[in-house]
Amino acid sequence: MWTNKQRNVIKPQQGTPESATSKLDTTELVTSQLVTTKLVTSEPVTTELVTSELVTKEAFKTKVITSERFPQTKSLKSRTSKRRDTKPATKSTATTATDSTTAPVYGIETTDSPTEVAGNDNDIVCKLPKLDPWDRSISHLLSEEGVDPGCTTRYPLSPFDVINNKLVPKPGVSLYKFHSVSVTTIERPANDDWQVNHDDVISPFVDAIKSDFFRVNYVKNNNQHLSHLYARVVPKKHMKDKFAATKRSHKNSKNIRDLSVLILGFDSTSFANFLRKMKHSLDFLVKGDLHTHFLKGYTVIGDATTPNMCALLTGKDETEVPEARRSYFGAQPTDSWPWLAKEFKSKGYATLFAEDDPTMGMFNLRLLGLQNPDGIYDHYMRPFWLELESAGERDEPGVCSKSTSMANFTLDYLTSFFEAYSDMPKFGFAFMGFSTHARPNYLSFIDYDLLHFLKFFKKNNFHKNTMLVILGDHGSRNDDVRNTMQGKLEERLPWLSITLPKWVEEKYPEIRAALRHNQNLISTPFDMHATLRHVLTYPDPPNGEKGQSLFTKLPRNRTCQDACKYAIQN
């Protein structure tokens, strides 16, 4: 039985080397890389929709299978991989592409070095490269891993479900098969971002489980001891009552200021790698009657995750917010930062933050994290991941935890968030980094999980009142692709797509026109921050922004330096 005790996860040590704690390194900003290579004129790519011809090469074509969750594909084999914060060994692909000069992508032929293509829009000042995702210079580094890592075959599936916050056996499961069943909740202690508290639920089949996170331990009659972790949102009644008192509508509202916002982030995911690895999800974004815009000019403003997510979630450069770096004089937790979620919370939104790697967290690795997340996020998933990590319940690549895909823990938590607050506006930020931080080819393992989530999202009509943002923090920085010129350019051009409800584009045609206009222009996390705040102020522009809302047309004479000037000045 579990008792009320605390379990620790190893914190980053004080006095972390300056290489890990230094602020923004602007020596490799996109402006210095994207404007120095001679551009070649070619037919511009249509960016309103991404067609199947745009995202597939003959050797990588995959039939979209909708009749089952996973098609029959190569499962994840046992590998001797290093920790995700180290450079993995070079791995040659077993999937040899056909002659790379055939079936050209973006209407160009590939060469031994990456080929940049400028559109016919000669008045665009900041010329961005349109790179062939399967360029010959990196083709030997691309491997087709499949979409099913085989998690479900590694450990017995849980025999229990949770209905109305109570544990229930799944259909066909008899409690007589078990010697004992117990439930232990997982909670965050006050003022500590690195520990978890545990408490026993006395009667799990009778009493409601009031924590978002818990562990089920059970012993079968054959003396087999098993356990499973659960994460799902338990709605907070006072929040729902407070929103109901305002008599605001959400489900049927046609006011953009009532729009829910969901941000799905994937670590080390460039625009090109999303095209390579997320074929099924991309196909659904394009053909699933979703109004999605693809921002090909989205670029980073600094190295690694923290500066880019700081700009996205606070609108500030990392040098402007109060000092929070470990071992630095006067450093304090990040609670006082101008978090975007605070503003949405003040407008009556339910808020959520979910990041799956507690040790390498964007605001925890070299920063002090949050002391009191309740003032910003109503639901904070970090305790769940601390528990999973401290118990050693994931594989080394970070793809599976027992019988569950790591990405599915996050996506299922988001599913429960939208179900729990179906009648309220929501702001959710989720970031998945375990699988892809040092292994960009593993992004394909998330493809069907994301597709399943998108289908759920549409089936339950959440797409009708939600702005869905899918993005990367940057491209790959830790594998051998990064050592090529193609990889260096990809690293500066992360994925960004924005999906809006149909009624938004019909009621506000200027928003649709602006997003279409902006798809090939340089944009940054500062612009994305302004866009998210614009949801709360539209049609009035948000005040005090470094960037410009993507709901308005960016100037075509915007220079690369202008887009990133706030990062460059620091």
Side-chain angles (χ1 to χ4, degrees):
M1 295 289 293
W2 293 70
T3 58
N4 292 335
K5 61 182 180 179
Q6 295 182 333
R7 305 177 72 183
N8 295 317
V9 172
I10 298 176
K11 294 184 183 181
Q13 296 296 314
Q14 295 293 327
T16 305
E18 181 63 23
S19 61
T21 60
S22 60
K23 294 195 177 184
L24 232 53
D25 178 2
T26 61
T27 58
E28 286 189 88
L29 286 174
V30 64
T31 54
S32 65
Q33 289 187 343
L34 298 185
V35 298
T36 57
T37 306
K38 183 179 179 181
L39 301 177
V40 182
T41 303
S42 178
E43 188 68 16
V45 180
T46 300
T47 56
E48 180 179 3
L49 295 177
V50 180
T51 64
S52 59
E53 288 78 17
L54 177 97
V55 301
T56 187
K57 199 93 165 175
E58 284 298 324
F60 290 88
K61 283 184 179 177
T62 305
K63 182 179 180 181
V64 177
I65 300 175
T66 58
S67 60
E68 57 182 351
R69 183 75 175 273
F70 293 114
Q72 184 176 357
T73 58
K74 182 176 71 173
S75 296
L76 180 63
K77 299 177 181 178
S78 175
R79 294 178 172 88
T80 56
S81 302
K82 297 182 180 180
R83 285 286 300 169
R84 68 180 292 243
D85 51 338
T86 61
K87 183 178 177 181
T90 302
K91 179 185 175 183
S92 298
T93 174
T95 309
T96 304
T98 57
D99 181 36
S100 59
T101 60
T102 62
V105 182
Y106 294 123
I108 63 173
E109 293 186 354
T110 61
T111 61
D112 290 335
S113 59
T115 304
E116 295 188 89
V117 179
N120 290 337
D121 299 318
N122 294 324
D123 58 335
I124 296 179
V125 173
C126 184
K127 305 293 186 183
L128 297 172
K130 297 183 176 71
L131 302 173
D132 177 357
W134 295 271
D135 193 85
R136 178 179 293 171
S137 64
I138 62 169
S139 62
H140 63 292
L141 301 173
L142 305 177
S143 63
E144 192 66 14
E145 301 291 338
V147 295
D148 182 8
C151 302
T152 57
T153 64
R154 301 185 182 190
Y155 194 86
L157 298 175
S158 174
F160 303 108
D161 275 331
V162 180
I163 299 178
N164 296 326
N165 296 326
K166 296 179 181 179
L167 196 68
V168 298
K170 289 182 177 178
V173 174
S174 171
L175 290 179
Y176 292 107
K177 296 180 178 180
F178 304 97
H179 180 268
S180 64
V181 179
S182 63
V183 171
T184 305
T185 60
I186 301 162
E187 301 277 5
R188 182 186 188 275
N191 304 324
D192 195 321
D193 223 14
W194 285 95
Q195 297 188 71
V196 295
N197 286 342
H198 300 91
D199 199 6
D200 293 330
V201 177
I202 303 301
S203 303
F205 296 103
V206 177
D207 299 335
I209 302 171
K210 298 180 180 180
S211 172
D212 278 13
F213 318 115
F214 62 93
R215 179 187 293 277
V216 177
N217 300 285
Y218 57 99
V219 181
K220 289 187 173 183
N221 290 335
N222 62 3
N223 205 36
Q224 185 180 18
H225 292 247
L226 300 168
S227 71
H228 290 276
L229 285 172
Y230 287 75
R232 87 278 180 264
V233 165
V234 177
K236 298 183 178 180
K237 185 175 183 299
H238 72 277
M239 290 171 49
K240 301 186 75 170
D241 291 344
K242 183 177 179 180
F243 181 79
T246 66
K247 297 183 179 180
R248 286 168 57 192
S249 171
H250 173 59
K251 283 186 177 181
N252 301 315
S253 174
K254 293 297 186 288
N255 186 339
I256 193 171
R257 296 190 184 188
D258 291 322
L259 203 61
S260 288
V261 172
L262 176 60
I263 305 168
L264 292 179
F266 297 97
D267 198 352
S268 303
T269 299
S270 66
F271 198 96
N273 203 43
F274 197 97
L275 297 181
R276 286 190 290 260
K277 299 298 179 181
M278 303 292 271
K279 304 176 184 73
H280 303 88
S281 298
L282 180 58
D283 193 72
F284 192 76
L285 287 172
V286 172
K287 301 176 182 178
D289 195 27
L290 299 173
H291 296 256
T292 303
H293 301 265
F294 305 92
L295 282 296
K296 295 183 178 181
Y298 188 61
T299 188
V300 301
I301 55 91
D303 282 331
T305 304
T306 302
N308 293 295
M309 294 299 101
C310 178
L312 176 75
L313 296 176
T314 71
K316 302 292 184 181
D317 177 76
E318 195 183 353
T319 60
E320 298 177 295
V321 290
E323 181 63 76
R325 289 177 295 171
R326 297 181 181 280
S327 76
Y328 275 68
F329 178 77
Q332 296 292 328
T334 62
D335 298 54
S336 63
W337 288 16
W339 296 108
L340 187 63
K342 284 184 180 178
E343 194 166 352
F344 277 88
K345 187 176 175 67
S346 71
K347 301 293 185 180
Y349 280 63
T351 56
L352 175 148
F353 183 92
E355 183 184 15
D356 68 358
D357 190 339
T359 303
M360 299 286 289
M362 61 184 72
F363 303 113
N364 294 92
L365 174 63
R366 57 185 179 84
L367 305 180
L368 291 174
L370 289 170
Q371 186 175 41
N372 179 28
D374 291 345
I376 306 167
Y377 300 106
D378 301 306
H379 299 274
Y380 187 63
M381 200 178 181
R382 183 170 173 80
F384 173 87
W385 294 108
L386 287 169
E387 171 71 14
L388 185 148
E389 190 75 351
S390 68
E393 294 184 354
R394 67 169 176 85
D395 60 12
E396 181 57 26
V399 175
C400 299
S401 174
K402 295 184 175 178
S403 58
T404 303
S405 160
M406 297 282 279
N408 266 342
F409 279 127
T410 298
L411 295 172
D412 288 347
Y413 191 53
L414 292 174
T415 294
S416 67
F417 179 55
F418 273 77
E419 290 177 329
Y421 297 104
S422 60
D423 54 349
M424 283 182 62
K426 296 161 284 293
F427 175 88
F429 175 84
F431 191 79
M432 288 157 273
F434 263 129
S435 301
T436 59
H437 179 85
R439 304 170 179 89
N441 286 313
Y442 285 10
L443 182 62
S444 62
F445 289 139
I446 306 175
D447 189 12
Y448 263 78
D449 294 332
L450 179 58
L451 174 64
H452 182 78
F453 176 82
L454 293 173
K455 287 184 175 180
F456 154 83
F457 211 70
K458 183 181 178 184
K459 180 180 179 181
N460 290 274
N461 293 318
F462 292 125
H463 70 298
K464 292 184 177 180
N465 52 27
T466 302
M467 174 180 170
L468 174 64
V469 178
I470 302 177
L471 52 77
D473 52 348
H474 50 74
S476 177
R477 304 179 72 247
N478 296 289
D479 75 324
D480 289 331
V481 171
R482 179 63 173 79
N483 295 329
T484 68
M485 179 55 68
Q486 169 95 9
K488 294 180 191 299
L489 292 169
E490 286 191 14
E491 190 267 334
R492 294 292 163 181
L493 294 167
W495 176 266
L496 175 61
S497 65
I498 299 174
T499 303
L500 291 171
K502 180 180 180 180
W503 66 262
V504 170
E505 296 193 345
E506 291 176 344
K507 184 175 180 179
Y508 308 101
E510 67 277 12
I511 291 179
R512 178 175 182 268
L515 288 170
R516 293 181 65 186
H517 170 89
N518 295 335
Q519 286 184 120
N520 282 326
L521 300 177
I522 187 170
S523 58
T524 73
F526 289 129
D527 299 321
M528 197 61 234
H529 179 271
T531 307
L532 295 168
R533 285 192 67 220
H534 210 176
V535 170
L536 298 176
T537 66
Y538 201 84
D540 299 325
N543 296 322
E545 290 293 326
K546 293 182 178 299
Q548 178 180 328
S549 169
L550 298 175
F551 288 169
T552 61
K553 292 183 177 181
L554 299 174
R556 297 169 76 84
N557 63 354
R558 188 187 216 192
T559 66
C560 301
Q561 289 84 355
D562 286 341
C564 299
K565 62 183 178 182
Y566 293 100
I568 293 172
Q569 287 176 350
N570 293 310

